[in-house]
């Protein structure tokens, strides 16, 4: 777990944690017999024991406290959130969907979603690891890379989820802000059809479909997966505009060529989406976790934010100019080679954004302290 630094001091990672770590420590603190339990974990446990109305009132108090803070950096971030509220197109989420066999491969037979708590679904969930493709903060509003708008998933955050995000330095409605940032940074509209394909639910060859796992999750897991003719033919028709494939597809070089095209399409979309998600998430939280293999994007994006003076339009312009992730990396590396001081400018940007996160986190801590939950 990564800690984050405020201007002039290091933030203790034992005190400000991810939502998952907070919830875990909350449970442990309630049961532990240690003489000196972690104060914040204890505060979180006390909060969890409150009546719902008291929890909601405390969260409202934190939001009000944040609104009262006079700080240019925080004001700028909240102003972007209000812009997101005005500009982002948000529609109700239609729910998980899969490609229909009767349209693409009638000989395959019917498909249906299996219960999420079934042994088969749980096994697939562990293999495909879809949690690696979602952020650490609570997300009700999610950007959709196919339609270039956002979906409202419908379930509001619990007070405990809201408190965990606030203690980690996320301002209220971070999900809305980051979805809007993704919309600003997502510029490869030629990939929309590919994005739509990979957003469909993953299904195995015998017709079991998994509502909590997308085809994107399956490919991103780098696991050995099976693809039914239904989905393969859907890709050929909807992405490649090739209607020549029918089921059953013979196991020949032509089928392998289609598989290769599908893999190439995924990689192109994956690289684009990873860069866009990283830019949006790191802009709000420069310590947001990235996949290990994409960690190199962090400093390059921090440098980009510094060069753009935190202006979203300038960040987008640089991404558009680069066109793709690899070129973006090459361009930033070329700038760093000419001026190593840009790296330190990125670090300075990171410290400033983390200072703003401290303001949010400390507002939550102050309210917990005033309510008698936090004793430090």
């Amino acid at each position: 777990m990564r800690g984050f630094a405020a201007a002039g001091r290091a933030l203790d990672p034992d005190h400000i944690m991810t939502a998952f770590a907070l919830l875990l420590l909350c449970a442990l603190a309630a049961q532990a017999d240690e003489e000196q339990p972690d104060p914040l974990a204890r505060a979180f446990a006390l909060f969890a024991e409150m009546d719902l109305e008291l929890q909601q009132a405390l969260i409202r108090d934190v939001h009000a406290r944040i609104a009262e803070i006079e700080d240019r950096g925080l004001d700028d971030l909240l102003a972007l959130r209000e812009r997101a509220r005005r500009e982002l197109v948000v529609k109700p989420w239609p729910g998980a969907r899969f490609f229909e066999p009767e349209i693409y491969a009638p000989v395959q037979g019917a498909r249906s979603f299996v219960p999420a708590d079934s042994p088969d679904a749980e096994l697939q969930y562990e293999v495909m690891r879809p949690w690696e493709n979602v952020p650490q903060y609570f997300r009700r509003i999610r950007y959709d890379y196919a339609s270039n708008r956002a979906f409202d998933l419908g379930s509001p955050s619990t007070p405990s989820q809201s408190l965990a995000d606030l203690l980690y330095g996320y301002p209220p409605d971070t999900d809305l802000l980051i979805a809007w940032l993704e919309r600003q940074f997502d510029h490869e509209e030629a990939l929309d059809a590919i994005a739509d394909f990979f957003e469909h639910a993953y299904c195995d060859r015998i017709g079991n479909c998994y509502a909590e796992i997308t085809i994107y999750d399956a490919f991103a897991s780098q696991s050995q997966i099976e693809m039914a003719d239904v989905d393969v033919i859907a890709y050929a028709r909807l992405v490649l505009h090739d209607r020549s494939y029918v089921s059953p597809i013979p196991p020949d070089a032509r089928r392998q060529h289609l598989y290769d095209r599908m893999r190439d399409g995924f990689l192109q979309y994956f690289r684009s989406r990873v860069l866009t998600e990283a830019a949006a998430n790191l802009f709000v939280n420069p310590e947001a976790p990235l996949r290990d293999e994409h960690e190199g994007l962090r400093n390059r994006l921090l440098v980009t934010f510094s060069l753009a003076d935190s202006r979203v339009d300038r960040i987008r312009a640089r991404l558009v100019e680069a066109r793709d992730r690899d070129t973006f990396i090459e361009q930033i590396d070329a700038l760093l080679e000419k001026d190593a001081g840009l790296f330190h400018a990125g670090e300075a940007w990171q410290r400033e954004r983390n200072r703003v996160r401290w303001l949010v986190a400390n507002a939550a801590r102050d309210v917990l302290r005033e309510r008698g939950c936090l004793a430090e």
Side-chain angles (χ1 to χ4, degrees), residues 165-176:
D165 285 349
L166 291 165
L167 287 169
Y168 202 61
Y170 283 114
D173 298 322
T174 282
D175 56 342
L176 174 70

Side-chain angles (χ1 to χ4, degrees), residues 62-357:
V62 177
H63 289 184
R65 189 69 55 88
I66 292 170
E68 293 171 354
I69 296 173
E70 296 183 1
D71 181 85
R72 175 65 181 274
L74 180 58
D75 288 345
D76 289 347
L77 200 60
L78 296 181
L80 286 178
R81 183 197 62 188
E82 294 311 302
R83 182 179 170 188
R85 203 182 304 281
R86 295 190 303 270
E87 296 181 0
L88 186 65
V89 177
V90 181
K91 300 291 185 181
W93 186 52
R97 57 203 172 103
F98 53 75
F99 292 109
E100 297 288 351
E102 56 264 32
I103 297 176
Y104 301 101
V107 299
Q108 292 286 296
R111 287 177 154 183
S112 62
F113 286 114
V114 300
D117 59 354
S118 67
D120 185 47
E122 291 178 353
L123 175 61
Q124 293 287 4
Y125 191 81
E126 290 300 318
V127 171
M128 304 302 179
R129 307 184 304 280
W131 63 82
E132 294 182 346
N133 303 311
V134 297
Q136 67 179 22
Y137 55 85
F138 176 80
R139 184 175 65 168
R140 174 174 176 171
I141 305 300
R142 176 179 68 83
Y143 178 65
D144 179 61
Y145 284 83
S147 62
N148 308 128
R149 61 189 181 190
F151 285 133
D152 184 338
L153 302 181
S155 298
S157 63
T158 66
S160 291
Q161 289 168 327
S162 296
L163 179 60
D165 285 349
L166 291 165
L167 287 169
Y168 202 61
Y170 283 114
D173 298 322
T174 282
D175 56 342
L176 174 70
L177 171 58
I178 292 183
W180 177 80
L181 288 168
E182 288 179 88
R183 177 68 192 101
Q184 301 308 303
F185 300 153
D186 177 23
H187 61 279
E188 297 189 66
E189 295 184 359
L191 299 178
D192 288 353
I194 297 177
D196 182 71
F197 172 84
F198 282 103
E199 197 56 37
H200 282 71
Y202 173 72
C203 306
D204 61 28
R205 289 186 176 180
I206 62 174
N208 293 324
C209 299
Y210 306 96
E212 297 184 0
I213 304 171
T214 63
I215 302 177
Y216 180 86
D217 295 326
F219 273 66
S221 73
Q222 302 184 54
S223 303
Q224 189 70 28
I225 62 174
E226 56 182 31
M227 292 294 293
D229 281 359
V230 180
D231 301 310
V232 175
I233 292 172
Y235 188 87
R237 292 186 186 179
L238 300 176
V239 177
L240 304 178
H241 306 291
D242 183 346
R243 301 185 64 86
S244 66
Y245 288 91
V246 295
S247 184
I249 305 175
D252 54 16
R254 188 165 174 269
R255 184 181 72 172
Q256 186 58 49
H257 176 68
L258 178 54
Y259 286 173
D260 292 343
R261 294 287 300 278
M262 186 184 303
R263 179 202 61 207
D264 293 344
F266 168 75
L267 289 175
Q268 185 182 12
Y269 170 52
F270 181 70
R271 294 187 185 105
S272 174
R273 176 168 161 177
V274 163
L275 176 59
T276 302
E277 288 177 333
N281 279 274
L282 294 177
F283 186 83
V284 177
N285 173 12
E287 304 294 342
L290 302 177
R291 290 172 179 263
D292 290 343
E293 61 270 29
H294 300 137
E295 183 59 37
L297 289 173
R298 188 183 306 275
N299 288 333
R300 294 179 175 100
L301 283 167
L302 296 179
V303 168
T304 300
F305 301 157
S306 175
L307 287 169
D309 195 27
S310 301
R311 292 221 358 217
V312 173
D313 58 337
R314 292 179 181 175
I315 299 169
R316 174 183 169 84
R318 186 170 291 277
L319 295 174
V320 170
E321 178 187 2
R323 298 184 62 183
D324 58 47
R325 188 188 69 176
D326 292 344
T327 305
F328 167 76
I329 291 174
E330 292 172 1
Q331 291 179 348
I332 297 301
D333 287 353
L335 291 174
L336 286 168
E337 187 174 351
K338 293 179 180 179
D339 183 2
L342 293 177
F343 177 81
H344 300 297
E347 289 183 322
W349 188 96
Q350 179 181 25
R351 288 192 297 271
E352 169 58 21
R353 179 64 86 226
N354 283 331
R355 184 191 64 80
V356 172
R357 289 176 64 204

Side-chain angles (χ1 to χ4, degrees), residues 18-32:
T18 65
F20 296 116
L22 262 172
L23 293 174
L24 176 60
L25 281 177
C26 166
L28 292 176
Q31 301 174 9

